[in-house]
Amino acid sequence: MVVIQEVKTRKQKKQFLNFGLNLYKDNPYFIPPLYGNEKKLFGNNHDYCDQAESVFYLAYRDGKVVGRISGILQKASNEKWKQQRVRFTRFDCIDDQEVANALFDAVEQWAKEKGMKEIVGPLGYSDMEREGLLIEGFDQLNTFEEQYNYEYYQKLIENYGFQKDVDWLECRITAPNDEYLEKVKRVSQKSMERFGLHFGEAKNTKDFLKKYANDFFHIIDETYAHIYGSVPFTEKMKKSIMKDFGLVINLNYVAVILDKNEKPICFGLAFPGFGKALQKSGGRLTLCTLFKVLHAIKKPDSIDLALIGVLPEYRMKGVSHALFAKMAERLKYSTAKYAETNLMLDYNYNIINQWKNFNPVQHKKRRAYVKEIQ
């Protein structure tokens, strides 16, 4: 018999945090989230508390935890997209349909009580969190930004009645050949000169954030306004994101383009791939783990592409090509052997086509599901 309990006590919170880590222990492809950040979600002052409600459930059988799930009522998202949805996230489960059904039943009942009409997921509080169920690429190392899951999750979710909402693709890319790179640099330079643009500079990470952080969020909001699942930033979110960025940014993999008034109009942000450094500690930043992370940031084996943003008035004007050329050049002379695009909506042909000269290999695919509440 499966028993579902809402997470309330300190012991239950610990069980919730540790279940996923234990389920994927020694899995070579799983990259854990930062344990400290996950722990904060149980507090009353977490990053999304002013725009979302949360609930956490554990599934027990014979007194042993066999699954977990969280439900999110993302009010800002529902208001923006004119929807009545509850998101499910942090779904982890043994390969047992009874357990999965009980977990989804709990979230669906909670959603009913909130007056919602649909459940969608896996989605986090915003599109800055891990999202989508891995449905292809189970033998590929995950990036820190995205979540790994076992292949049987798809069966458990679809058997409950969920259907596809959207798919994302992920590609592994390498620097393009010199001929292409030089061509793009020549063309993009003309666009830069035509519009009076130039690349911004910074002495260090602190200087970079001080100069460009506020505009950075404005550009993201403008660029991703119509992207699936996006929500506007709050001041609390901005502060937290900047704190995290300050720890992992390597200026070799960041580029920002400024107008003649020194205002950012375009940026590209990538992170050194430091996920492997977190595997043994389960995402806990022990002293040993911190040294590994810092080494990976300085001399990465791979690069995780995070965000690319362009203000609407500069789109389709060749400006983004300058950014891609700059980042490709840095990748070429990096210790990294390749870069990961992370998530691209499969119908976002503009961004997908941007990588066609970067020797792309589509090696992962993710899906968000939706189900009408009965």
Side-chain angles (χ1 to χ4, degrees):
M1 179 179 177
V2 178
V3 176
I4 299 295
Q5 292 185 10
E6 184 177 348
V7 174
K8 295 288 189 180
T9 68
R10 181 179 297 180
K11 179 182 177 181
Q12 289 173 326
K13 292 173 183 178
K14 187 175 181 180
Q15 288 176 324
F16 188 95
L17 293 171
N18 290 340
F19 177 75
L21 299 178
N22 294 333
L23 191 64
Y24 291 95
K25 187 177 181 180
D26 300 324
N27 184 297
Y29 311 115
F30 173 75
I31 302 297
L34 290 177
Y35 194 89
N37 284 356
E38 291 293 287
K39 192 175 180 180
K40 290 177 183 177
L41 296 178
F42 294 110
N44 295 323
N45 195 36
H46 66 81
D47 296 344
Y48 301 94
C49 64
D50 52 356
Q51 62 176 205
E53 294 180 39
S54 310
V55 68
F56 302 86
Y57 294 109
L58 285 169
Y60 297 87
R61 178 181 281 150
D62 299 326
K64 181 181 178 181
V65 178
V66 289
R68 70 170 192 171
I69 198 169
S70 175
I72 299 172
L73 175 54
Q74 202 351 317
K75 300 173 185 177
S77 176
N78 282 345
E79 182 178 351
K80 175 181 177 178
W81 299 100
K82 310 303 179 188
Q83 295 170 332
Q84 291 176 282
R85 288 182 163 186
V86 156
R87 301 177 174 196
F88 76 85
T89 183
R90 292 158 178 83
F91 168 70
D92 287 300
C93 183
I94 62 171
D95 188 2
D96 188 304
Q97 192 67 52
E98 181 186 15
V99 176
N101 288 353
L103 288 166
F104 288 124
D105 281 346
V107 174
E108 184 165 311
Q109 181 58 40
W110 184 73
K112 280 184 180 180
E113 294 170 1
K114 298 294 180 180
M116 298 297 105
K117 296 182 177 180
E118 293 178 313
I119 303 177
V120 63
L123 291 176
Y125 291 88
S126 77
D127 59 331
M128 299 293 285
E129 280 207 315
R130 296 179 172 194
E131 57 188 354
L133 186 83
L134 187 68
I135 60 173
E136 293 179 13
F138 301 100
D139 59 348
Q140 300 293 318
L141 180 68
N142 219 57
T143 64
F144 172 74
E145 293 80 14
E146 303 305 334
Q147 180 70 18
Y148 183 83
N149 57 262
Y150 289 123
E151 190 170 357
Y152 65 79
Y153 279 36
Q154 183 174 3
K155 171 194 66 178
L156 297 179
I157 291 173
E158 292 180 357
N159 283 349
Y160 189 73
F162 282 97
Q163 297 180 332
K164 171 188 171 181
D165 201 19
V166 298
D167 280 353
W168 293 273
L169 306 178
E170 295 180 61
C171 291
R172 176 173 288 182
I173 61 174
T174 55
N177 60 53
D178 292 341
E179 182 180 356
Y180 171 78
L181 191 56
E182 289 302 316
K183 178 182 177 181
V184 172
K185 286 170 67 175
R186 288 197 303 271
V187 173
S188 61
Q189 185 59 37
K190 292 181 180 179
S191 296
M192 297 277 281
E193 293 173 355
R194 178 183 178 187
F195 297 107
L197 306 175
H198 61 281
F199 282 99
E201 297 181 353
K203 299 176 183 177
N204 49 47
T205 300
K206 184 177 180 179
D207 185 42
F208 176 85
L209 295 177
K210 182 179 179 180
K211 285 182 175 180
Y212 308 124
N214 288 334
D215 294 292
F216 166 83
F217 288 107
H218 171 66
I219 295 174
I220 293 179
D221 274 338
E222 290 290 317
T223 302
Y224 294 86
H226 303 293
I227 294 295
Y228 177 88
S230 62
V231 295
F233 289 102
T234 65
E235 290 304 314
K236 189 185 293 289
M237 290 166 60
K238 291 178 184 179
K239 185 177 179 180
S240 178
I241 290 170
M242 283 299 100
K243 182 179 179 181
D244 289 342
F245 281 5
L247 295 174
V248 299
I249 282 180
N250 181 329
L251 292 186
N252 289 328
Y253 309 111
V254 177
V256 58
I257 296 177
L258 312 177
D259 65 14
K260 59 184 178 181
N261 297 314
E262 301 298 312
K263 293 287 290 182
I265 58 94
C266 178
F267 75 88
L269 178 63
F271 299 125
F274 60 89
K276 282 185 178 181
L278 299 171
Q279 284 182 315
K280 288 189 176 181
S281 71
R284 297 172 178 85
L285 286 179
T286 64
L287 185 60
C288 180
T289 300
L290 189 56
F291 277 124
K292 291 180 181 178
V293 169
L294 292 175
H295 177 75
I297 291 172
K298 187 175 181 180
K299 294 184 177 181
D301 292 328
S302 63
I303 299 299
D304 297 347
L305 303 183
L307 294 165
I308 295 173
V310 185
L311 287 179
E313 58 266 35
Y314 287 95
R315 293 175 193 167
M316 309 301 291
K317 294 182 179 180
V319 176
S320 61
H321 291 295
L323 186 72
F324 277 83
K326 174 70 75 174
M327 298 187 76
E329 192 171 40
R330 290 178 176 178
L331 176 60
K332 180 179 178 181
Y333 296 105
S334 165
T335 58
K337 302 177 182 66
Y338 60 88
E340 296 269 4
T341 64
N342 281 314
L343 303 191
M344 303 178 291
L345 287 162
D346 65 352
Y347 55 80
N348 191 349
Y349 301 113
N350 286 336
I351 190 65
I352 292 173
N353 288 335
Q354 290 277 15
W355 302 119
K356 64 182 180 181
N357 292 298
F358 286 70
N359 313 302
V361 176
Q362 192 254 302
H363 62 321
K364 299 176 197 169
K365 188 175 184 179
R366 298 180 188 274
R367 177 167 296 170
Y369 288 89
V370 65
K371 179 183 179 294
E372 185 177 343
I373 295 174
Q374 302 301 317

